[in-house]
Amino acid sequence: MATDEAPGTSARAGRPWLRRTLRAMIAVVLGVLLALGWYQVSVQPGATMLQTLFDSGPGVTPPLDIEDARAKVEDPRTVPIPTPDAPDASAVVYAPRAEGPHPVVVWVHGGGYVSGSPATVEDFSVLLASRGYTVVSLDYTLAPEARYPVPVRQGNAALDVVQERIADFGGDPARVVLGGDSAGAQIASQLAAVQTNPGLAADLDLTPGAPRDRLRAVVLYCGAYDLDTLGATGFPGLRTFLRAYTGHRDWADAPFADQLSTTKQATADYPPTYLTVGDADPFESQGRELAAALQDQGVPTETLFWDDGEGLPHEYQFHFDRPQAARSFDATIDFLEDRTG
């Protein structure tokens, strides 16, 4: 039996998948446009995404004997860090069970300024403490909640607290080392410049937290040290990290950009420094630039660079399933022993 039907009705009714696909495509496009528009006025979406990515994986792949190391270390204790002109911070202290006083390592964790915590590098802190170092792991306020120079102020305040209180944890305030990894290496390198460059300290309106003769050395892993050349590294997410930290979309043109470039702030008084970075790390050139700048100033500088195609990625030194990480750790300990006795 014939039926009356409007032209095209049957074709439209038979293609519901097409309508669903079009609606999904429109929703995706609108979502992308909304996200892009939000990014133009706020760095929070990108920072949150990168924070989630960082926090989803372990910061350190420990060696098999990590439990033996842990048995040599006291339970970690949290210490408040009162910070003038910035939010208060805190630090987690890992102290050797052996009788002190022990040299002190103030460590600044990485995470692109937007993620990470002392827990991220806890196994590394335990390894250092098991070798006779009192480790003060700084828990600074993350970006974009807090922007530059808040972590630098908090780190300087931590050095001041070390001078006042570290003897309570078996540490020796006369033998202090600054260290950090990735973004934390940039912060730690700048902190060392604050202690040894009066011009930089004055620019930041800071009184150095550690007397120069007590800051014995600096240990830097896989950091960024020159904002003029940093963009050329092609490091993933760099634009978001630096915008979150500096508050400037064009972070290389920020009025304080030179303050963050340790290649420009290091003087002849900069502490002896150990530097390492993987050969497949986009920041390899940054490590080599800082090493050259320090050597030009006459600063004793030890480096562990890789030239034989090992393919070592960013933060390779924390992944002890690679033999190169063990080599880096041993070189770090040798350097610390030489500089702290």
Side-chain angles (χ1 to χ4, degrees):
M1 178 182 296
T3 58
D4 294 330
E5 191 174 75
T9 301
S10 177
R12 288 195 302 271
R15 291 182 292 180
W17 61 269
L18 180 59
R19 293 195 298 274
R20 289 196 297 269
T21 300
L22 288 173
R23 284 197 295 267
M25 291 175 63
I26 291 171
V28 169
V29 170
L30 288 175
V32 170
L33 291 174
L34 180 61
L36 288 173
W38 190 11
Y39 182 79
Q40 293 305 310
V41 298
S42 172
V43 73
Q44 188 65 53
T48 300
M49 180 181 68
L50 290 170
Q51 181 180 32
T52 301
L53 181 63
F54 268 106
D55 293 345
S56 64
V60 178
T61 304
L64 296 177
D65 60 353
I66 185 64
E67 293 306 321
D68 293 339
R70 206 177 298 279
K72 300 176 183 178
V73 179
E74 300 281 358
D75 291 338
R77 294 171 60 184
T78 300
V79 177
I81 306 293
T83 307
D85 301 322
D88 289 345
S90 63
V92 180
V93 178
Y94 301 85
R97 291 188 183 276
E99 186 176 354
H102 304 285
V104 180
V105 177
V106 178
W107 196 262
V108 188
H109 68 79
Y113 307 104
V114 302
S115 68
S117 70
T120 310
V121 292
E122 178 169 323
D123 287 338
F124 177 72
S125 299
V126 166
L127 289 172
L128 279 180
S130 73
R131 300 296 290 269
Y133 298 89
T134 299
V135 180
V136 179
S137 189
L138 179 64
D139 195 3
Y140 58 92
T141 308
L142 300 175
E145 177 185 346
R147 293 194 163 106
Y148 176 80
V150 167
V152 178
R153 293 188 178 281
Q154 292 173 330
N156 192 66
L159 291 172
D160 191 55
V161 170
V162 163
Q163 292 302 303
E164 295 178 355
R165 293 198 54 195
I166 203 62
D168 297 341
F169 300 90
D172 182 356
R175 292 182 292 162
V176 178
V177 176
L178 266 170
D181 61 283
S182 192
Q186 186 280 317
I187 295 170
S189 73
Q190 188 182 359
L191 268 174
V194 168
Q195 312 310 305
T196 54
N197 181 342
L200 179 60
D203 287 344
L204 289 167
D205 194 24
L206 285 174
T207 299
R212 172 63 190 88
D213 61 334
R214 295 189 164 203
L215 183 58
R216 299 293 187 89
V218 179
V219 173
L220 301 174
Y221 294 159
C222 306
Y225 313 110
D226 187 339
L227 261 65
D228 286 346
T229 58
L230 186 56
T233 65
F235 193 92
L238 186 64
R239 180 182 176 188
T240 297
F241 297 142
L242 268 296
R243 183 182 172 191
Y245 186 48
T246 66
H248 289 258
R249 184 179 287 109
D250 298 323
W251 38 267
D253 295 327
F256 46 76
D258 284 355
Q259 295 178 5
L260 281 77
S261 295
T262 306
T263 53
K264 299 179 180 180
Q265 299 298 337
T267 68
D269 290 329
Y270 201 84
T273 300
Y274 170 84
L275 279 159
T276 191
V277 60
D279 60 326
D281 188 333
F283 285 164
E284 183 191 26
S285 60
Q286 292 282 299
R288 292 182 183 271
E289 282 184 47
L290 181 58
L294 294 176
Q295 289 162 355
D296 286 346
Q297 293 281 357
V299 175
T301 306
E302 296 185 26
T303 62
L304 181 57
F305 299 139
W306 304 87
D307 300 309
D308 296 328
E310 283 88 351
L312 299 174
H314 188 61
E315 297 275 46
Y316 84 92
Q317 78 290 333
F318 283 163
H319 297 286
F320 287 88
D321 51 348
R322 297 175 179 265
Q324 294 91 344
R327 180 176 167 187
S328 173
F329 184 75
D330 290 343
T332 300
I333 295 299
D334 289 344
F335 172 78
L336 292 175
E337 289 177 352
D338 288 344
R339 296 300 169 180
T340 67

